Amino acid sequence: MKKLMLCVVIITILIMSTASAGFFDFLTGKAIKEIDFDNAKPSIISKLFNRNYCIDSDEDLIDPSKEKGRVLTSTQTFEDYCIDTNHVKEYFCPKGLFKRSVFGSKTIECDADEICEDGACIDSCWDLDSGDHTVRGETIYEDPNNAILQVATESWTETEFVCELGALGYEYYTCQEDNLFGICLNKEDEWDYFMDWLQQKNYDPEIINYYEEKYENLDVEYSEALVSYSVFGNQIRDSNSFFNTYKNSLQNEPITIKLIEIYPLEQDWIYKKSSEQVADTLNQQIENYLQEKADRISVAFGRDIELEIEQITINYTEFFFCDDCDYTFVSQQDIVYVNNNTFLTYQEDYTWVEQNINGYIEIGEFIDEQRLYFISEDLVPLEPGATYVFMGGISPDNYYLGGVPQLETGCGADLYDSRVMCAEVGVAYTSMVHELGHLLSLPHSVVSGDANRPLGLPTVMFGSFDDWPCADSSYWYDEDYSITYAPHERYAIEPHEGFEDVEEFVYNYNEALLCP
């Protein structure tokens, strides 16, 4: 009889324990997941045995300091909190059977690249090269005075950007070899790598000898400018960047580049010409127009590039005409010529009407201020490698909107946000190759930023034809040749898996430059 009674009691307790977090916790030392902390109460079993209990919301995490947790006991609740910017007070329940009647706490120090915020250690700084002096890496960090993430790229002599207590810091070092563009390297070794690469790709000996002459030039800045392309090609960039997407792409793997047309939500704007309208003026279907341009870009990049149009609508008033933004207006009236409902540069072979503009936005004055709104308010999607055009040309109040930093026409590249902004659609494929080259870290192909000192080979990155009498800029548009990137630029941008079209590209480049 006693055994029967004991069995009944045990079965009853087990049944009741299915709804009893406290009893399960009492037996196993583990909390049941997804506890409703706000409505949790001591279980019947806990009351029956007058048993205290303790449940920790983040005890299953490998590192509980990464998440703000709560500890629930039979009498009160405790939340993790920040002691200061680098330490968190972490509450926990003791492990093991019959040890859940009390709770504990400890102080945890956040990692060097973290700060304590709202009861957890969070990343606020990312050192992408982990302090490696042989790699030109980016350090991404939060600035309390700025709404967007900041990026520091190593370029100072013997100075490494690092994370210290969740903020940008500096570490000074001494290179055992050459220090160039912020990293330690052996300049002669890097040059030998490049020369070997030229031979492997079958560039003509005349081109290879030309590089040798430039490298041996008495002006050391020439040789350093050429070696810098080895540095540019081996950077560590943010994973959410066109650079990272392209460098890690596989052969035969398509890369989609979006052409984003941004229209105003407000009515009565006079629009700029759309991609479809540009294609129509060329008597092409939009699909054929995009494919033709994508094919030419694909040759330059050695990848299958696909172009895709995306049209979105945003509130221009919120984006451009906000009370907190600084505008500059010209005092005299301007006249903009308008063809139907599109904004175009004036051409005499169209029918035009005059549009009086009472003032216009000075592009260079407002774009830096507005860029904060572009990122922080998420008014438009941030697509790595995408080209953006604000399609509103003339506002209902007769303001002309260009939409490119310091330019009213053309395009500008934003390396760190990994995007291209153009004043209008329909730019030549060479302009896209040029700006996308900047997103891949390619500078203009000159020495120390001096346009009068080109590195000497034809390229869409502002190289020179002067030393190559058989070639001229018409080769940029000739489908049979590949005057897009010069060999030192292709060396820098080559994906880790190699180019798809290397033999054809090199053959055409040799043919274009050399006299028959």
Side-chain angles (χ1 to χ4, degrees):
M1 186 65 178
K2 289 182 179 180
K3 290 183 179 180
L4 180 60
M5 290 291 294
L6 181 60
C7 289
V8 172
V9 171
I10 292 174
I11 292 172
T12 303
I13 290 173
L14 290 175
I15 293 173
M16 294 174 64
S17 70
T18 60
S20 172
F23 186 78
F24 183 84
D25 203 40
F26 167 74
L27 287 176
T28 66
K30 279 193 173 182
I32 295 177
K33 295 182 179 180
E34 300 183 3
I35 297 296
D36 184 355
F37 281 87
D38 294 327
N39 298 310
K41 297 178 181 179
S43 66
I44 297 174
I45 297 301
S46 294
K47 289 182 177 181
L48 178 64
F49 288 95
N50 193 25
R51 184 72 181 171
N52 294 327
Y53 63 90
C54 180
I55 305 172
D56 185 358
S57 65
D58 59 6
E59 72 167 356
D60 290 335
L61 299 179
I62 296 176
D63 187 351
S65 68
K66 308 303 183 188
E67 181 178 299
K68 181 180 182 179
R70 301 171 71 184
V71 165
L72 177 66
T73 73
S74 55
T75 56
Q76 54 189 318
T77 301
F78 299 90
E79 290 188 346
D80 300 341
Y81 67 91
C82 294
I83 299 173
D84 54 35
T85 58
N86 200 41
H87 295 84
V88 62
K89 177 67 76 173
E90 178 74 27
Y91 288 97
F92 63 93
C93 299
K95 299 286 186 179
L97 189 64
F98 302 116
K99 292 184 178 180
R100 309 294 290 192
S101 59
V102 295
F103 69 93
S105 68
K106 58 184 176 181
T107 299
I108 298 178
E109 183 177 4
C110 298
D111 293 340
D113 57 352
E114 297 176 329
I115 60 172
C116 188
E117 186 174 293
D118 192 27
C121 293
I122 63 172
D123 291 328
S124 62
C125 183
W126 301 263
D127 183 3
L128 299 185
D129 66 2
S130 301
D132 188 343
H133 304 329
T134 65
V135 176
R136 192 186 198 208
E138 291 182 342
T139 299
I140 305 171
Y141 63 99
E142 290 184 354
D143 182 349
N145 299 316
N146 206 314
I148 61 175
L149 290 174
Q150 304 298 296
V151 179
T153 301
E154 290 155 358
S155 58
W156 299 355
T157 301
E158 297 183 330
T159 303
E160 179 80 20
F161 291 132
V162 296
C163 294
E164 293 180 350
L165 301 180
L168 181 67
Y170 309 90
E171 181 179 281
Y172 302 101
Y173 58 90
T174 300
C175 287
Q176 300 300 316
E177 299 177 305
D178 299 307
N179 182 275
L180 190 62
F181 297 94
I183 72 170
C184 295
L185 52 75
N186 186 304
K187 189 165 68 173
E188 294 297 331
D189 286 348
E190 295 298 327
W191 183 251
D192 289 341
Y193 298 151
F194 174 53
M195 299 306 292
D196 290 344
W197 182 88
L198 289 174
Q199 293 176 6
Q200 292 171 8
K201 303 302 182 187
N202 292 319
Y203 280 98
D204 191 273
E206 187 173 339
I207 294 174
I208 297 176
N209 292 336
Y210 180 87
Y211 274 115
E212 284 278 22
E213 292 175 3
K214 285 291 183 181
Y215 182 72
E216 299 296 338
N217 192 299
L218 294 178
D219 187 347
V220 68
E221 289 186 340
Y222 269 91
S223 62
E224 290 188 346
L226 287 168
V227 172
S228 70
Y229 284 84
S230 174
V231 179
F232 299 147
N234 291 284
Q235 296 184 100
I236 297 181
R237 295 286 314 281
D238 180 11
S239 60
N240 186 31
S241 66
F242 182 68
F243 178 93
N244 195 72
T245 299
Y246 174 74
K247 294 287 280 189
N248 290 315
S249 63
L250 303 177
Q251 292 192 20
N252 301 316
E253 177 186 2
I255 298 177
T256 299
I257 296 176
K258 288 190 176 182
L259 308 178
I260 300 179
E261 300 177 353
I262 309 170
Y263 288 87
L265 181 65
E266 299 83 352
Q267 301 297 313
D268 299 325
W269 275 75
I270 298 176
Y271 296 153
K272 301 173 186 177
K273 184 172 275 191
S274 69
S275 297
E276 290 195 8
Q277 290 171 318
V278 170
D280 188 58
T281 61
L282 298 173
N283 296 317
Q284 288 184 300
Q285 297 292 323
I286 184 62
E287 295 80 10
N288 295 336
Y289 168 76
L290 293 177
Q291 188 61 55
E292 183 179 290
K293 185 175 290 190
D295 289 343
R296 302 305 304 277
I297 299 173
S298 298
V299 170
F301 285 106
R303 282 293 181 273
D304 180 14
I305 301 297
E306 298 179 351
L307 298 181
E308 178 182 304
I309 295 175
E310 181 176 344
Q311 296 180 339
I312 63 175
T313 303
I314 68 169
N315 188 324
Y316 270 30
T317 300
E318 179 182 355
F319 185 71
F320 293 106
F321 305 104
C322 59
D323 294 335
D324 298 331
C325 301
D326 182 23
Y327 299 109
T328 299
F329 303 97
V330 295
S331 58
Q332 62 188 28
Q333 286 191 346
D334 284 349
I335 295 178
V336 172
Y337 292 88
V338 179
N339 179 15
N340 296 329
N341 232 17
T342 63
F343 171 79
L344 290 170
T345 306
Y346 176 71
Q347 299 178 35
E348 292 185 355
D349 54 344
Y350 288 96
T351 301
W352 298 85
V353 296
E354 292 183 358
Q355 176 75 38
N356 290 324
I357 307 301
N358 296 324
Y360 87 52
I361 300 172
E362 189 68 35
I363 302 301
E365 295 294 327
F366 80 86
I367 196 69
D368 290 337
E369 176 77 11
Q370 284 302 313
R371 184 169 168 271
L372 302 180
Y373 294 91
F374 188 91
I375 299 298
S376 62
E377 297 298 329
D378 295 324
L379 291 174
V380 298
L382 187 56
E383 298 278 355
T387 294
Y388 298 82
V389 178
F390 290 100
M391 300 301 292
I394 302 176
S395 77
D397 298 325
N398 288 337
Y399 292 104
Y400 162 60
L401 177 61
V404 181
Q406 300 178 347
L407 295 172
E408 293 178 19
T409 60
C411 301
D414 190 334
L415 172 62
Y416 296 120
D417 289 330
S418 200
R419 66 164 183 249
V420 175
M421 296 188 69
C422 292
E424 55 192 359
V425 301
V427 297
Y429 91 92
T430 51
S431 295
M432 291 192 66
V433 171
H434 178 100
E435 301 302 340
L436 290 170
H438 285 318
L439 298 190
L440 295 177
S441 299
L442 294 181
H444 293 152
S445 192
V446 297
V447 179
S448 302
D450 186 350
N452 295 315
R453 303 170 68 195
L455 288 180
L457 279 97
T459 166
V460 295
M461 305 306 292
F462 291 161
S464 172
F465 287 91
D466 292 346
D467 296 329
W468 307 93
C470 295
D472 58 46
S473 58
S474 65
Y475 282 105
W476 284 338
Y477 306 98
D478 192 318
E479 294 183 6
D480 294 331
Y481 293 101
S482 305
I483 298 296
T484 49
Y485 294 130
H488 59 280
E489 293 162 341
R490 286 269 286 193
Y491 176 67
I493 70 170
E494 184 174 25
H496 301 311
E497 297 294 327
F499 296 113
E500 292 180 14
D501 61 347
V502 61
E503 292 184 6
E504 181 182 5
F505 184 96
V506 173
Y507 175 83
N508 288 335
Y509 193 88
N510 291 337
E511 288 289 304
L513 259 63
L514 304 177
C515 297

